[in-house]
Amino acid sequence: MADKIEQARSFLEGLARYHVRDDDLLLEAINLRQGSEQRVALLGRALLEYVILDDWYSTGASKATGDALLKSISGIDNLASIARLHGIERFIFPHGGQKGVPLGRTSLSDTVKALIAAVYLDSGKDMDLVRSLVAALGLTEPRALP
C-alpha cells in the first residue's frame, strides 16, 4: 500500500511540483476498493469544469463552444486517455472485480478527477495549484483521442 501511495506522491511532485501532506486524501483518490474515490472524484469533476469554463468565459465564445469544451476535455474517454498517458493506473488500488484485468475508462477517469480534488483539498483549496495541475495533465484544451 505504501508503495502505491509513494508512486502517486512522486507523480504529483514530478508533474505539478506539489508535495502532498495528507496521505489519507491521496489514498482516498487512488483507492477504488472502498468506493470513496467517487466522492472526491465528484469534487474533482466540478473543479476541472470550473477551470475549463473560467478560461472559456473570458474568450467570449458561445455557450455551444463552452459545452463542446466541457464534453471534449472532461469527458470519460479523454480523462482515461490522460490517465494512460501519464501512467496513473500503476498506482491505483483496483476493487476486487478488477484484479488482473485492465482498469476501465470510468475508473481511470474518476481517478484523474479524484487526484485533482485531493490536491485542492490537501493544498488548503489553492485554485492556482489546481490550475497548474490541470495544465500539467494536459487538460487545458481539446486534443485528439488515440
Side-chain angles (χ1 to χ4, degrees), residues 26-85:
L26 190 53
L27 179 60
E28 185 176 353
I30 63 174
N31 188 359
L32 305 182
R33 293 177 186 164
Q34 304 298 324
S36 61
E37 92 291 346
Q38 293 175 357
R39 284 188 63 229
V40 74
L42 184 60
L43 177 58
R45 181 182 82 191
L47 292 164
L48 176 58
E49 289 178 353
Y50 170 79
V51 170
I52 294 165
L53 291 177
D54 190 46
D55 290 345
W56 155 83
Y57 189 80
S58 65
T59 69
S62 70
K63 179 186 178 299
T65 300
D67 287 337
L69 283 170
L70 280 178
K71 185 177 180 180
S72 175
I73 297 171
S74 66
I76 290 172
D77 289 331
N78 188 55
L79 293 177
S81 175
I82 290 293
R84 287 185 188 103
L85 176 71

Side-chain angles (χ1 to χ4, degrees), residues 119-146:
V119 166
Y120 170 75
L121 294 169
D122 189 68
S123 69
K125 302 182 179 180
D126 183 340
M127 281 304 295
D128 289 333
L129 186 58
V130 169
R131 284 183 173 286
S132 295
L133 176 59
V134 167
L137 285 167
L139 294 170
T140 54
E141 56 188 55
R143 60 188 207 84
L145 297 174

